[in-house]
Amino acid sequence: MPRIISYADAVSEAMMEEMERDETVFIWGEDVGGFGGAFGELKGVYNKFGEKRCIDMPIAETYIAGAAVGAAITGLRPVAELMYADFILIAMDEIAGKAAKWRYMHGGLFKVPVTFPLLSGAVGGAGPEHSQCPEAMLWGVAGLYIVCPTTPADVKGLLKSCIRDDNPTCIFMHKALFMTKGEVPDGDYLVPIGQADVKREGNDVTVVAWQNMVPRSIEAAEELAKEGISVEVIDPRGLRPFDMDTVLKSLEKTGRIVFAHEAPKPGGPASEIAAMIAEEALDLLEAPIKRVAPPFVPVPQSMQLEQVYIPSTADIVKAIREVA
């Protein structure tokens, strides 16, 4: 029977199940030990597995990522917690230049099964250096998987899939979702990497959204249903591999598409997906593509301004009305 648990508890369950299943799995990073993760997402892991497999590291992101790559190529399955997703900028050479490339550079002589959990998104006035959604910064990095789960069930199943995969993965977890709750299946289950989920079916407009924008898109769809506008909401659950088949199947039905994400609009993920649609399925479009994203400014420190910065349900409703 499914259980109702929080997103944070789903993360800790996934970690403990994978560490129990495979002794080569371990986690290290910032505040992963006795503190239990910056948002309580690793509660109980340290107490169960101790300091040899749940290791607090110094604030040295390049070392955390680089040492994890070294551990991975020698046969371990490290989970390297950089805490805030913004910190990939510090460790970018190890993630984009080493983890993503070495399997190819060395002719497949070894694998690089490292997982990087990255806490993203604006919440609580953390400011411009701790609130970004930088998943698009990795879009052009060949060799990495990019995963973006929204629900407790998805984050548990996808984190387990990432840990078991032989490719390096970056799994972005939005901080505003950690206290949300949802149904999570019992037992050992996986969510396939690169498989989208239709969160709400509809016939008039397709909305593609992920993480914090998914519940807001569903709210927008429910509001517009009262006006007779039927909205389909698709959560791709990740950017690489990207499930274009599910998006195009929906677009064949609706002819209209809106993207909603908290990443910046210029150079954001929707820009690349829109270009792919233009190349592969321009004839399906009956209206211009719309993108809903924050204003192109650093994330405000002020909690009041932060709420203005984050795209709202009303912003998504407006974009859908414009195409419908």
Side-chain angles (χ1 to χ4, degrees), residues 263-287:
K265 182 183 286 188
S271 303
E272 181 65 23
I273 303 167
M276 293 161 64
I277 291 172
E279 287 181 343
E280 299 177 28
L282 186 62
D283 58 317
L284 296 179
L285 292 172
E286 298 178 19

Side-chain angles (χ1 to χ4, degrees), residues 18 21 25 77-79 112-117 145-149 154-173 190-194 237 240:
E18 289 306 295
R21 183 189 65 85
V25 177
R77 291 189 176 271
V79 178
V112 191
V114 57
T115 301
F116 298 102
Y145 284 169
I146 306 170
V147 180
C148 305
D154 285 348
V155 75
K156 181 175 180 181
L158 281 166
L159 178 55
K160 290 165 71 73
S161 292
C162 289
I163 293 171
R164 296 186 193 187
D165 201 278
D166 288 334
N167 294 286
T169 60
C170 291
I171 178 166
F172 288 88
M173 307 174 186
L190 303 175
V191 173
I193 297 171
R237 301 195 286 199
R240 183 177 296 112

Side-chain angles (χ1 to χ4, degrees), residues 31-56:
D31 287 341
V32 303
F35 195 73
F39 287 80
E41 75 280 5
L42 296 171
K43 181 177 63 177
V45 177
Y46 179 84
N47 290 339
K48 184 171 184 178
F49 294 96
E51 62 183 10
K52 289 187 177 181
R53 293 183 66 194
C54 185
I55 306 165
D56 269 322

Side-chain angles (χ1 to χ4, degrees), residues 47 61 77-78 84 105 110 218 253 255 267 281 299-300 303 320:
N47 290 339
E61 289 81 9
R77 291 189 176 271
Y84 294 105
M105 291 168 60
F110 49 75
I218 293 172
K253 177 172 54 174
V299 184
M303 291 180 65
I320 295 171

Side-chain angles (χ1 to χ4, degrees), residues 285-300:
L285 292 172
E286 298 178 19
I289 297 171
K290 289 287 184 180
R291 295 173 292 162
V292 179
F296 192 46
V297 296
V299 184

